[in-house]
Amino acid sequence: MTGLRMMIPEIEIQLQAIALGTVIGTGARYILLRSDFRIYPSYPHGNVIHLSLGFVAAFLGAVAIPALLEEEYTAVTFLALAAQQFREIRNMERETLTNLESTELVPRGNQYIEGISKVFEARNYLVMAAALLTSTATYLTVSSLIGGIIGVSATLATFRIMRGKKVGDFADIQLGELSFDDSLLFVEDIPMVNYGDSQVQETILNKGFGLIITPKNDNAGATLTNTGQRMAIVHDVASMLGVYKDVNTEEFTPVIRRDLDTGRLAMVIIPLEGNPDYLIEAVKYVPILESALRYPLKSRPGYKAGNDK
């Protein structure tokens, strides 16, 4: 490699490393930037914003090591400024989603919004890291092939890092029978909410579905109990399957409640897509919010209490 480095002009090596790192990093941001059932970020304007910021992150990551090796220590200052800008991305996303919250038939909730904002900030750091590794490998080995392999591997690693857990990993979901005791709605034996209007009761019984969500252990129970996580479940299911509701029909808002005796969750929803199998699959697909995660079994008292049941 030393002989090869002597044959290639230093400026050419640097440009090669920076260009490849920038391309790999921007490509990683493009792959991570996919609109799912939530349709966010929106196309095309939201995508343009995030791709542009991803390009900036990739370029800064790609140029860092060649600049430092050339004793251009001001590169560290640019990285610090970039980190500040990425924090502003988080604030921007939080503000945007909060402003849009009032337009949602089934709100996301503040916890879900904070989680989405955090993801958009983190993705830029991952892009910078992928570009940094690509550029460093290319510069040190004087090989675009090796740099490209390292970069692609780093990009694949970002998918694994960003892959979160789902509700299906934490709970078993099954259908529950809906019934009324006077005006109180039940899913199996779990009380839900009062509906005094007989027409509303008939609509829920004819079109609605009840679900029982049973946590797999105490950690799952503590996580799914979180109100923000519960709001995320009803919001995402309504987004995926639609919801029988309008702005003047609050009585048809999906409801999720906890059985205080067993820790199970019960959910009532009237989806537009009335296939129960798809409904169960939709609940399993809902992401677990990072801020909702709880691990009581990792504490000594919690572990002892869990094993004494």
Side-chain angles (χ1 to χ4, degrees):
M1 291 297 179
T2 304
L4 183 59
R5 179 177 291 275
M6 292 177 62
M7 295 172 58
I8 302 177
E10 186 68 17
I11 185 64
E12 185 175 333
I13 299 174
Q14 293 176 357
L15 291 175
Q16 189 180 65
I18 293 170
L20 186 59
T22 302
V23 169
I24 293 290
T26 306
R29 188 67 187 96
Y30 176 77
I31 295 172
L32 288 170
L33 187 68
R34 57 186 187 277
S35 295
D36 56 15
F37 62 91
R38 291 164 289 195
I39 313 300
Y40 195 83
S42 57
Y43 178 85
H45 299 94
N47 287 358
V48 170
I49 292 171
H50 288 288
L51 281 174
S52 299
L53 291 169
F55 171 80
V56 172
F59 179 78
L60 290 173
V63 79
I65 292 301
L68 289 175
L69 291 176
E70 292 299 315
E71 300 183 356
E72 295 290 342
Y73 298 115
T74 53
V76 178
T77 305
F78 286 113
L79 292 177
L81 290 173
Q84 178 63 38
Q85 291 303 312
F86 298 154
R87 282 193 291 272
E88 289 302 318
I89 293 172
R90 181 173 176 176
N91 294 333
M92 176 187 72
E93 295 301 331
R94 183 193 298 115
E95 182 179 351
T96 300
L97 291 173
T98 300
N99 291 337
L100 294 174
E101 186 76 341
S102 61
T103 66
E104 296 285 349
L105 287 176
V106 181
R108 290 182 177 89
N110 291 333
Q111 245 178 302
Y112 203 173
I113 289 174
E114 188 61 35
I116 294 173
S117 304
K118 190 185 300 182
V119 164
F120 277 105
E121 179 186 4
R123 285 178 178 174
N124 284 287
Y125 294 123
L126 291 173
V127 166
M128 184 181 289
L132 180 68
L133 290 172
T134 303
S135 175
T136 302
T138 304
Y139 185 81
L140 295 179
T141 63
V142 199
S143 172
S144 298
L145 177 60
I146 295 176
I149 292 173
I150 296 295
V152 171
S153 300
T155 301
L156 294 176
T158 60
F159 282 104
R160 186 170 185 84
I161 293 171
M162 297 299 289
R163 186 184 301 153
K165 296 182 181 298
K166 309 288 185 182
V167 170
D169 300 324
F170 280 62
D172 297 315
I173 298 101
Q174 60 187 23
L175 290 175
E177 182 181 358
L178 295 176
S179 62
F180 277 94
D181 183 359
D182 196 10
S183 62
L184 182 59
L185 174 64
F186 282 81
V187 177
E188 298 293 343
D189 57 342
I190 303 176
M192 300 298 291
V193 65
N194 280 291
Y195 293 107
D197 191 316
S198 59
Q199 186 174 357
V200 172
Q201 293 182 10
E202 183 179 354
T203 301
I204 291 173
L205 290 176
N206 290 337
K207 297 184 177 181
F209 289 93
L211 293 174
I212 298 295
I213 303 172
T214 306
K216 294 182 178 180
N217 53 44
D218 287 352
N219 288 340
T223 298
L224 295 174
T225 296
N226 183 277
T227 55
Q229 182 61 59
R230 286 191 261 175
M231 290 183 72
I233 292 174
V234 294
H235 171 82
D236 275 2
V237 172
S239 297
M240 285 184 271
L241 300 182
V243 62
Y244 186 84
K245 179 183 184 297
D246 205 349
V247 292
N248 60 342
T249 55
E250 289 296 322
E251 61 272 20
F252 297 134
T253 301
V255 178
I256 186 165
R257 295 286 185 267
R258 180 173 182 253
D259 184 359
L260 298 179
D261 294 324
T262 64
R264 296 177 301 163
L265 298 179
M267 176 179 170
V268 175
I269 186 172
I270 307 178
L272 294 181
E273 299 292 339
N275 188 311
D277 293 332
Y278 298 156
L279 178 60
I280 292 174
E281 185 178 352
V283 175
K284 290 181 178 180
Y285 190 74
V286 176
I288 294 292
L289 306 182
E290 288 184 4
S291 57
L293 284 169
R294 300 291 183 273
Y295 294 101
L297 293 178
K298 289 189 175 182
S299 67
R300 183 176 298 176
Y303 180 78
K304 290 181 177 179
N307 287 326
D308 283 343
K309 291 181 180 180

